[in-house]
Amino acid sequence: MKKFLLVSCTLLGLAPGLRAQTGSRLAPTTAISTATPYAADFAEAYRLYPVIPRGMLEAVAYTQTHIRHIGAEEQASCMGMPLPAGVMGLIADGKGHFRENLRLVAQLSDVSVERIKADPRSNILAYAAAYARLANERQLRANMPARHLPVLLALSELPLDRDALGTFALDSHLYSVLTFLTRPENQSRYGFPDYKLDLPAIFGANYRVLSAGTTQVSERQVQAEGQVFDPGGSTYSLTSSTDYGPALTNLTTCNFSSRSGTAITHYAIHTVQGTYAGCISWFKNCSSSVSAHYVVRSSDGQVTQMVTEANKAWHIGSENPYTIGTEHEGYVNDASWYTTAMYTSSAALARDIVGSGYGISGLRTFYGAATTGTFSTGACVKIKGHQHFPNQTHTDPGVNWDWERFYTLVNNAPTVSTLTAATGTLYDAGGPSANYPDDVRQCQLIAPTGASSVRLTFSSFDLENAYDHLLVYNGANNQAPLLGKFSGTTNPGTLTASSGKMYLELRSDCATTRAGFAASWSSVGGGTASCPTDSYEANETLAAGKSIGVNVNNLAYVCPATDVDWYQFTSSSTNNNIKVTLSTLPADYELQLYTAGGTLLYSSTSASTTAETIVYNGAPAATYYVRVYGYNGATSNTTAYTLRVSTQATAWAAPETPAFASRQAAEKPQVSITNPVQSGDRAWLSVTGYDGPAEIQLRNTQGQPLGAGFRTKLATGQPVRYALPGGLQPGVYLVMVQLSTHVEYLRLLVQ
């Protein structure tokens, strides 16, 4: 404790000369033009204080506020947590629990509290001045950010506790800041170097808990994936003095109570109005008198359990006895906190609650429009926001939470009926004569083989108005563009899916059924036939390659789009000049020649329907393999290609298109993915020659979708991290990447 007091006096006892110097550095400067928020202010801070590692200020600001100025008009937290101030997320009133780091920053920088709170530039530069003072005192270097952890801890608002939950909260803060610095997309956007930070080495054995998808918190410990978080081995404990902070014990035990026999029937979604680490710490504070069962981190979706489900957490007032509640890091007025990782993780948690025997159906998840106000949905909707429960004043998760996306992630494995005929009639779940039932999720995919468009005309339509809905999409699933969301008795008329596929999803609630709908479809270019059979299937691998003769024509199909055909033939020592041709092509097909050991010898990749030719003169007598496939999913179920292997004693003339001739980079963008990856991990997608939207869908080798699609933006030089669906078995998969220009199929090996 003596050491802490000495350090505090040293930090706060600024010389007048230094106070004047730091204050004068806040004079206005000329802003620079850039797309990143407050870039001119951060750039000025690094110029004034070169001891600060570039990127560190943005990392702290992103962890605290997603680099957004938190002003006085910000909505208060429904948990009673104090709101931070400014871009750097500083606390003025810690409510007896948080350290008031805004006041510390004001003292170190000689800038007034009011100015730091009101002005984003002053907020950033004052924090930078305080940071630089502490870093210089420790003789730190800007190129070694891993040694700056004591400065991050000194300027954090989190209590310097020594128990398991306190050290975990502090290490979570450090983990979030350093993780920001390790990401290539951040390094590119904010212009800082790759510091080669080794997070497993920095956090030691606790790294596994900090980076886990789910953590569990009990009265005395935090654990994840079978490993217990070690407070004594935490980075915070190893970085700071053992005399540094007060000891608070078992604080989580004071903010929950018994349900007194009340059954769990509902699940509530909240937004913290603060950070993940701050929320964990606040729930330990006995004076806060609030808690939730779970907290979800924005950056990677990590989940921390704060109260057991069997007990009543204090998160939603009069509705506490029958609810489970989860807080989501972030702010209702800033959609950037609601990341794909957060949605995915939160939905997985919801699915677990659905499967826990409480009688909460995933089909009872709210999927209406996000709003800013409060309104009660009634007891029928079981999974919904704080704002949707009765007797509430808080409006989280607010207008930026995507309820439709959350619904589809919670209900991520629907049964889909696929209709491949060129024409036909479909009905609701009640069939042509009966009403549809309650709690229905009926999914139908109209996908005539080879269709260029689908047209659907309703002859009748009657759904419970505003409660039951039919959603229709222009594509193969509910991630495709929405053609319409229909309810009541107004007939939708005729709908057209220009993609050649139309996806319908009927959802009904827990009460009141109606007659439903009947509709007929037709298609352009569609037929009833699926992929035609040929005598060579199945031949999807080299080991399954079918034998073919030389100097004869072989006819086969590339169908479906993921089909790959392998063939084998044997050459002789006399007729040792080989020519392989692929002709009568209905689409852009490719041709490759391999040795029996799987080594690629030649490849022909002519564009469009130009015939492919490979010549191998002087080939040793041996068995060879030929591979035929469609470029980027090219396929046909109506026209067969012709494959011919010709041999002769004299050499063949070289083909007009050289082997391995590649398409010009400007013709089509190219997408690549890291290989291999571990099951449950993430892969990096990179693109060249493209900047625009993309939709990513993992499929099996038969082309069937696995999990929900992922929408993102791809750009040259900006890799995107793709989280694989859970539960994948080791093996080979296809990653379909839909660009605005075309579709690419990538092979992915999961180990």
Side-chain angles (χ1 to χ4, degrees):
M1 191 64 179
K2 290 180 180 178
K3 183 176 291 187
F4 171 70
L5 293 174
L6 178 60
V7 170
S8 298
C9 293
T10 302
L11 298 183
L12 301 181
L14 297 179
L18 180 59
R19 289 175 181 262
Q21 182 182 25
T22 56
S24 64
R25 286 176 174 173
L26 296 180
T29 59
T30 302
I32 60 175
S33 176
T34 178
T36 57
Y38 304 107
D41 302 323
F42 287 121
E44 181 181 2
Y46 292 125
R47 288 195 303 270
L48 294 175
Y49 310 109
V51 70
I52 304 175
R54 287 192 172 270
M56 183 66 81
L57 297 177
E58 290 92 337
V60 173
Y62 188 87
T63 297
Q64 297 297 101
T65 69
H66 273 204
I67 316 183
R68 185 172 69 91
H69 180 71
I70 306 298
E73 72 283 357
E74 191 76 27
Q75 177 180 307
S77 169
C78 68
M79 293 290 103
M81 275 181 58
L83 280 175
V87 180
M88 305 307 295
L90 305 174
I91 296 294
D93 178 7
K95 295 189 177 181
H97 178 71
F98 290 109
R99 290 184 293 153
E100 296 174 352
N101 58 344
L102 191 152
R103 300 181 188 279
L104 176 61
V105 168
Q107 292 170 325
L108 290 172
S109 65
D110 199 27
V111 181
S112 70
V113 168
E114 290 73 20
R115 187 176 173 187
I116 294 173
K117 291 171 65 176
D119 176 42
R121 176 174 171 273
S122 298
N123 189 276
I124 293 170
L125 293 181
Y127 182 92
Y131 188 109
R133 175 60 184 268
L134 300 182
N136 283 322
E137 286 182 351
R138 291 168 172 79
Q139 298 182 344
L140 299 176
R141 296 170 58 186
N143 64 346
M144 305 179 71
R147 297 189 179 181
H148 288 236
L149 301 188
V151 178
L152 294 174
L153 290 168
L155 294 178
S156 169
E157 82 282 8
L158 298 175
L160 301 173
D161 299 341
R162 284 287 164 191
D163 62 351
L165 298 184
T167 53
F168 174 67
L170 285 156
D171 269 22
S172 291
H173 174 70
L174 297 176
Y175 175 82
S176 294
V177 173
L178 296 190
T179 298
F180 180 96
L181 295 176
T182 64
R183 290 178 173 164
E185 64 268 29
N186 293 337
Q187 297 163 10
S188 174
R189 181 179 185 187
Y190 297 103
F192 61 88
D194 181 1
Y195 293 109
K196 307 297 183 183
L197 292 169
D198 187 348
L199 298 188
I202 292 171
F203 293 101
N206 288 326
Y207 174 79
R208 182 175 171 186
V209 180
L210 292 165
S211 62
T214 303
T215 63
Q216 299 83 40
V217 177
S218 64
E219 295 181 8
R220 292 184 172 82
Q221 68 179 22
V222 181
Q223 63 176 344
E225 300 178 354
Q227 179 169 324
V228 176
F229 184 88
D230 177 17
S234 74
T235 300
Y236 155 57
S237 295
L238 296 175
T239 300
S240 56
S241 166
T242 55
D243 299 324
Y244 197 28
L248 303 176
T249 58
N250 299 330
L251 292 181
T252 52
T253 62
C254 61
N255 288 330
F256 66 86
S257 55
S258 170
R259 293 187 186 272
S260 301
T262 302
I264 297 169
T265 59
H266 287 73
Y267 179 48
I269 301 295
H270 299 271
T271 300
V272 173
Q273 294 298 95
T275 67
Y276 176 73
C279 186
I280 292 171
S281 180
W282 187 243
F283 286 166
K284 293 170 62 229
N285 175 20
C286 290
S287 299
S288 72
S289 297
V290 290
S291 63
H293 294 88
Y294 298 95
V295 186
V296 182
R297 187 161 61 196
S298 170
S299 61
D300 59 2
Q302 185 184 79
V303 179
T304 292
Q305 184 175 9
M306 303 298 297
V307 178
T308 63
E309 293 176 10
N311 286 312
K312 177 175 66 177
W314 302 343
H315 60 108
I316 201 164
S318 59
E319 315 311 301
N320 284 330
Y322 63 90
T323 57
I324 294 173
T326 293
E327 286 284 349
H328 294 76
E329 181 182 32
Y331 299 85
V332 296
N333 291 331
D334 186 351
S336 70
W337 291 89
Y338 299 149
T339 62
T340 295
M342 174 176 278
Y343 278 117
T344 302
S345 178
S346 182
L349 172 60
R351 289 196 301 271
D352 183 76
I353 292 171
V354 165
S356 295
Y358 301 125
I360 299 175
S361 170
L363 300 180
R364 303 278 191 90
T365 302
F366 181 77
Y367 61 87
T371 64
T372 57
T374 62
F375 67 94
S376 176
T377 62
C380 201
V381 182
K382 302 291 188 181
I383 302 176
K384 53 191 176 182
H386 187 163
Q387 64 193 117
H388 299 141
F389 283 84
N391 308 311
Q392 303 304 310
T393 59
H394 290 278
T395 61
D396 53 309
V399 72
N400 289 309
W401 184 264
D402 190 340
W403 285 108
E404 175 61 32
R405 180 181 187 182
F406 189 63
Y407 176 97
T408 57
L409 287 171
V410 172
N411 302 284
N412 67 336
T415 300
V416 181
S417 299
T418 302
L419 310 168
T420 59
T423 62
T425 301
L426 55 78
Y427 304 93
D428 60 84
S433 57
N435 286 5
Y436 58 81
D438 293 326
D439 289 324
V440 160
R441 190 188 187 199
Q442 177 194 26
C443 300
Q444 301 177 85
L445 173 61
I446 306 172
T449 304
S452 59
S453 66
V454 174
R455 182 183 175 114
L456 182 68
T457 301
F458 289 85
S459 56
S460 63
F461 192 87
D462 184 3
L463 303 184
E464 183 189 8
N465 189 39
Y467 292 97
D468 301 337
H469 297 85
L470 176 68
L471 295 89
V472 185
Y473 301 86
N474 183 7
N477 52 46
N478 55 17
Q479 301 302 303
L482 181 68
L483 291 175
K485 181 178 179 181
F486 307 100
S487 188
T489 58
T490 301
N491 193 307
T494 298
L495 305 174
T496 300
S498 58
S499 67
K501 296 180 176 62
M502 184 179 288
Y503 186 88
L504 294 88
E505 186 171 326
L506 171 64
R507 301 175 188 172
S508 68
D509 68 355
C510 64
T512 308
T513 66
R514 305 289 291 184
F517 60 84
S520 298
W521 82 86
S522 61
S523 61
V524 176
T528 58
S530 57
C531 291
T533 57
D534 58 57
S535 58
Y536 305 102
E537 298 289 350
N539 60 337
E540 274 71 33
T541 65
L542 182 146
K546 296 301 176 67
S547 296
I548 56 174
V550 297
N551 301 317
V552 295
N553 290 341
N554 304 275
L555 276 64
Y557 297 87
V558 172
C559 188
T562 55
D563 186 29
V564 176
D565 293 338
W566 286 86
Y567 306 91
Q568 61 170 295
F569 68 91
T570 302
S571 68
S572 67
S573 57
T574 54
N575 294 324
N576 63 341
N577 299 293
I578 301 171
K579 180 168 73 172
V580 185
T581 58
L582 187 66
S583 59
T584 63
L585 301 182
D588 190 356
Y589 292 174
E590 315 288 36
L591 179 67
Q592 293 176 330
L593 181 66
Y594 289 79
T595 67
T599 299
L600 177 64
L601 294 171
Y602 297 99
S603 176
S604 179
T605 58
S606 298
S608 188
T609 56
T610 303
E612 309 288 354
T613 303
I614 290 174
V615 169
Y616 185 13
N617 289 320
T623 298
Y624 296 92
Y625 285 80
V626 175
R627 180 175 182 255
V628 178
Y629 63 98
Y631 174 72
N632 275 334
T635 182
S636 174
N637 69 333
T638 58
T639 303
Y641 63 80
T642 301
L643 175 67
R644 183 182 181 92
V645 177
S646 303
T647 62
Q648 61 184 28
T650 58
W652 298 95
E656 293 183 6
T657 303
F660 287 106
S662 62
R663 293 172 170 80
Q664 296 297 319
E667 181 182 345
K668 290 181 180 177
Q670 299 294 315
V671 184
S672 61
I673 193 168
T674 53
N675 263 300
V677 296
Q678 299 294 321
S679 179
D681 205 346
R682 303 178 183 184
W684 284 98
L685 277 157
S686 300
V687 67
T688 57
Y690 182 79
D691 186 350
E695 180 172 350
I696 305 167
Q697 171 71 68
L698 186 69
R699 297 171 179 262
N700 60 23
T701 52
Q702 286 74 47
Q704 298 168 327
L706 301 174
F710 168 51
R711 294 178 181 176
T712 186
K713 178 180 179 181
L714 292 178
T716 300
Q718 298 181 22
V720 170
R721 206 171 187 185
Y722 173 50
L724 302 179
L728 290 180
Q729 298 297 317
V732 177
Y733 296 84
L734 294 175
V735 179
M736 184 191 78
V737 183
Q738 173 70 65
L739 307 177
S740 60
T741 55
H742 68 291
V743 177
E744 290 212 21
Y745 290 87
L746 309 174
R747 294 276 174 172
L748 180 66
L749 176 61
V750 177
Q751 295 182 337

